[in-house]
Amino acid sequence: MATNMHGLENGIQENQQNKQSAESSKMSLFIAKWWLLFLNFACCAVGTIGGPLLLRLYYLHGGSRKWIPGWLQTVGFPIHLIPILILYSRRSPGVKFFASPKLLLCAAVIGVFTGLDNFMYSLGLSYLPVSTSSLLLATQLVFTAFFSFIIARQKFTPFSINAVVLMTLGAVMLGLRNNGDRPQGVTSSEYMLGYILTIAAAGLLGFVLPVTEVTYAKATHSITYAIVLQFQFCTALFATIFCSIGMIANKDFQAIPREATQFDLGAGKYYLLLASSAVVWQLMFLGIMGTIFCTSSLFAGIMNATLLPFTQIAGVIVYKEKFTGEKGMALALSLWGFASYFYGAYRDNKKQTQKEVEEK
């Protein structure tokens, strides 16, 4: 009898240790995921704020090619080989490391759309101030929400709907008074073209994000961060190929040395600008893809849109752009929309936590 009691006590103690070990492992995974999300947010912040500033610097000091800026947004894709090789050297035995051919094929298709999106955004920015372009690009949240509902079956709340409506009103307000901050040397028709191209780029980005989320969800094997890096590598590769074809047709490669010698800041700073742009833009795309992996496409869209007002402010500070009343109202509506979405997310998370506690 004593032996049985002793064995029972050992069994209970072992179960408790296993439970504690499982909870500890779960907590460690939770913390690691939040650290990864924070890292992706930091990468996205650097790219979202720094990328447009560098791109506008290219146009302000003599850059005039149409395909080079879009090409720069993805040509830095070999950077992804560094973390991929590090993760490969530390891979666990028996765990599938390489992405499937089907997943890479999807990445290639998404890459072509990304290349087109980059071209439209870059060409639009050549006719617009950074601050205006950033506010217009914030409408990608509207398109992300719409396509997330259609493609990814994303559920909506009154708070998320409110955020979408407010940001749409902000973009409409800018469109109604579109000549107040037109850059010198840009005609009214060119300004309107920049407005349309930027909205179109926002719409295409809003389509790409939920498509990427669905691609992850329907993958035959579990998606790890290593596979996300390979997916982004392939996406950026095909986006670069798309823009390279445009550069070849437009003879942009031959024009680079000539444009460097005529650049206002000098040839050395011209090439430094190209190299730094390639790195900064890759950080943004890597951050967005990583955020989709950690959360959802809608959250990635919200995060990207949240950073855009800071890009607008940076444009006003760095390039002394006009901050009109319409921009102020659009910015206020955008921030109101962001606050509405995050408050709704906080309420939903709180309800979910309470429900889990009650079930236990």
Side-chain angles (χ1 to χ4, degrees):
M1 183 70 179
T3 303
N4 291 339
M5 287 297 295
H6 182 68
L8 182 61
E9 289 175 357
N10 288 338
I12 294 173
Q13 185 177 7
E14 185 177 348
N15 288 336
Q16 290 177 341
Q17 289 176 348
N18 291 336
K19 185 177 180 180
Q20 290 175 353
S21 177
E23 291 178 352
S24 177
S25 178
K26 187 177 180 180
M27 180 59 67
S28 298
L29 185 62
F30 176 79
I31 294 174
K33 188 174 183 179
W34 273 102
W35 271 110
L36 182 60
L37 182 60
F38 175 78
L39 179 62
N40 285 306
F41 177 82
C43 290
C44 194
V46 172
T48 302
I49 298 173
L53 294 178
L54 292 173
L55 193 57
R56 190 60 188 164
L57 186 66
Y58 167 82
Y59 287 121
L60 286 175
H61 292 280
S64 60
R65 311 307 298 184
K66 304 303 182 185
W67 284 95
I68 289 178
W71 178 73
L72 288 174
Q73 292 182 49
T74 53
V75 74
F77 68 89
I79 295 173
H80 298 314
L81 289 175
I82 299 173
I84 289 174
L85 291 174
I86 293 174
L87 291 174
Y88 180 77
S89 65
R90 298 180 178 180
R91 70 190 187 283
S92 300
V95 176
K96 183 177 177 59
F97 182 84
F98 293 105
S100 65
K102 183 179 178 181
L103 189 64
L104 294 180
L105 178 61
C106 293
V109 175
I110 292 174
V112 174
F113 283 114
T114 301
L116 177 60
D117 182 70
N118 293 343
F119 171 71
M120 291 192 299
Y121 168 71
S122 301
L123 186 57
L125 185 59
S126 68
Y127 302 129
L128 299 174
V130 172
S131 51
T132 301
S133 176
S134 298
L135 280 173
L136 291 176
L137 197 62
T139 58
Q140 59 86 17
L141 178 58
V142 179
F143 296 104
T144 302
F146 174 75
F147 288 118
S148 292
F149 176 76
I150 299 297
I151 300 173
R153 306 300 181 186
Q154 176 74 45
K155 293 182 179 179
F156 285 90
T157 66
F159 297 100
S160 58
I161 294 173
N162 184 53
V164 170
V165 171
L166 289 171
M167 295 184 67
T168 304
L169 290 176
V172 170
M173 181 175 295
L174 285 177
L176 294 175
R177 296 290 300 274
N178 60 73
N179 286 324
D181 64 342
R182 191 172 76 235
Q184 188 175 2
V186 175
T187 65
S188 297
S189 58
E190 287 176 337
Y191 189 98
M192 183 54 66
L193 176 61
Y195 184 93
I196 294 172
L197 284 172
T198 305
I199 291 291
L204 190 52
L205 177 61
F207 172 75
V208 166
L209 295 182
V211 167
T212 302
E213 180 184 359
V214 171
T215 302
Y216 288 171
K218 293 189 175 182
T220 54
H221 298 280
S222 60
I223 300 295
T224 63
Y225 193 61
I227 291 180
V228 170
L229 289 172
Q230 295 169 49
F231 186 92
Q232 174 56 20
F233 179 91
C234 189
T235 299
L237 170 63
F238 278 86
T240 302
I241 292 173
F242 176 85
C243 290
S244 295
I245 294 173
M247 289 180 66
I248 293 171
N250 201 41
K251 298 182 179 180
D252 283 359
F253 284 110
Q254 298 93 315
I256 289 177
R258 182 175 65 254
E259 193 172 63
T261 58
Q262 298 173 352
F263 197 64
D264 294 343
L265 301 179
K269 290 184 178 179
Y270 175 84
Y271 289 114
L272 178 62
L273 175 62
L274 298 190
S276 57
S277 296
V279 174
V280 166
W281 281 113
Q282 275 310 293
L283 289 176
M284 187 201 74
F285 284 110
L286 182 61
I288 290 176
M289 292 297 177
T291 301
I292 295 175
F293 166 70
C294 293
T295 53
S296 67
S297 59
L298 183 59
F299 185 86
I302 290 290
M303 181 189 69
N304 191 45
T306 303
L307 292 168
L308 289 172
F310 295 97
T311 308
Q312 179 203 24
I313 295 170
V316 172
I317 294 173
V318 175
Y319 297 125
K320 310 299 181 184
E321 296 174 353
K322 294 180 181 179
F323 191 80
T324 62
E326 289 79 13
K327 285 186 183 180
M329 287 297 296
L331 178 60
L333 289 172
S334 295
L335 293 175
W336 185 4
F338 300 149
S340 173
Y341 179 86
F342 283 113
Y343 178 69
Y346 168 76
R347 282 171 56 101
D348 292 342
N349 185 62
K350 189 175 181 180
K351 287 181 180 179
Q352 182 64 27
T353 303
Q354 289 177 346
K355 184 179 180 180
E356 291 177 356
V357 171
E358 290 174 358
E359 288 177 353
K360 290 179 180 180

